[in-house]
Amino acid sequence: MDEDSPGNYTLEIRYLVAEDRFTYKSIPVEIMPLLYQTLWFRILIAAALVTIVLVIVQIRTGFLKGKNKDLKSNLESTDNELKAAKDQLKNESEYKEKIIRSISHDISTPLSFMSYLTQQLHHTEDQEKQKELFEMISKTSEQLFKFTSGLSEYTKLYHTEHIFEAQDYFLDELIEEKKELFEEIAVKKIQKL
């Protein structure tokens, strides 16, 4: 039996009454439990531990919810940026297609016209007509050369960043170049009529 354990005990005392005779006396003793040994203290500690665990779980859950909310916000922001980049790439691709079609047309038409003029030159024996055809071929090839030399400037017109910039002088020059490039072709087609 532990001396510190609470409970009811009986203390037996033996004392000598005569030479070989002992007398026994029993005394009931009650040991009160210390505070940390009581049932209420144990219940209180268990409740405190459960409360601490619940508070820790609640704090951790709140932290994770906040982190989750931040991640969702970042994901939405990144998603919006990716959609914008995708749209921009799509627009760039469409612009490049337009540029290629326009350049292809602007080069193939004068080349076709020059081919037509060389065929006319081949079939014509008239010196004056040949001189006129040579001048037309020369002028068309010169305009085609100017056009192909300025293609880098031409492509800037369709670039996304420059679409809405006002560049009257550049547009005027481009229109004038186009006019010169197709002028001989138009004149020849009118003469056919």
Side-chain angles (χ1 to χ4, degrees):
M1 200 183 313
D2 189 10
E3 296 175 7
D4 293 336
S5 297
N8 295 324
Y9 297 98
T10 304
L11 178 64
E12 282 193 25
I13 301 176
R14 176 175 86 163
Y15 56 90
L16 188 59
V17 200
E19 227 176 87
D20 282 337
R21 209 169 71 150
F22 291 96
T23 303
Y24 293 94
K25 184 156 184 165
S26 295
I27 303 173
V29 177
E30 181 181 355
I31 298 178
M32 298 300 289
L34 298 173
L35 177 63
Y36 66 88
Q37 294 173 328
T38 62
L39 178 63
W40 287 108
F41 182 78
R42 290 180 184 161
I43 291 172
L44 183 65
I45 291 297
L49 288 175
V50 168
T51 303
I52 289 171
V53 168
L54 289 176
V55 167
I56 289 172
V57 167
Q58 188 70 23
I59 290 171
R60 182 71 178 155
T61 302
F63 173 76
L64 291 176
K65 282 182 181 178
K67 192 105 168 152
N68 193 22
K69 186 177 180 181
D70 290 344
L71 288 173
K72 282 182 180 180
S73 174
N74 288 343
L75 183 63
E76 288 175 5
S77 172
T78 304
D79 187 45
N80 290 338
E81 289 173 9
L82 286 175
K83 284 179 182 177
K86 179 182 171 186
D87 291 343
Q88 184 177 0
L89 285 174
K90 182 181 176 188
N91 290 340
E92 288 285 331
S93 175
E94 289 173 0
Y95 291 135
K96 286 179 183 177
E97 279 183 41
K98 288 178 184 178
I99 289 171
I100 290 171
R101 278 186 290 198
S102 179
I103 291 173
S104 174
H105 175 266
D106 291 352
I107 291 175
S108 65
T109 303
L111 287 175
S112 170
F113 179 65
M114 286 171 43
S115 173
Y116 168 76
L117 291 177
T118 55
Q119 286 174 1
Q120 292 294 320
L121 184 64
H122 181 68
H123 296 298
T124 302
E125 305 248 342
D126 182 13
Q127 292 286 329
E128 197 57 38
K129 184 76 169 170
Q130 284 181 349
K131 185 178 179 185
E132 182 185 325
L133 290 172
F134 272 126
E135 285 178 14
M136 291 173 99
I137 290 171
S138 175
K139 192 172 183 183
T140 304
S141 63
E142 183 180 323
Q143 293 303 321
L144 186 60
F145 176 75
K146 282 182 185 178
F147 174 74
T148 55
S149 297
L151 279 179
S152 64
E153 291 297 319
Y154 183 72
T155 58
K156 287 181 183 176
L157 176 66
Y158 287 102
H159 197 272
T160 307
E161 297 168 4
H162 301 308
I163 284 178
F164 298 109
E165 291 180 8
Q167 295 184 352
D168 293 336
Y169 68 92
F170 180 73
L171 193 57
D172 289 343
E173 289 174 11
L174 182 64
I175 291 171
E176 190 59 36
E177 285 177 15
K178 290 266 192 170
K179 181 181 148 204
E180 289 175 8
L181 185 61
F182 292 102
E183 185 174 28
E184 289 296 321
I185 299 169
V187 168
K188 189 64 175 171
K189 286 196 177 195
I190 290 174
Q191 287 176 354
K192 280 185 180 179
L193 298 175

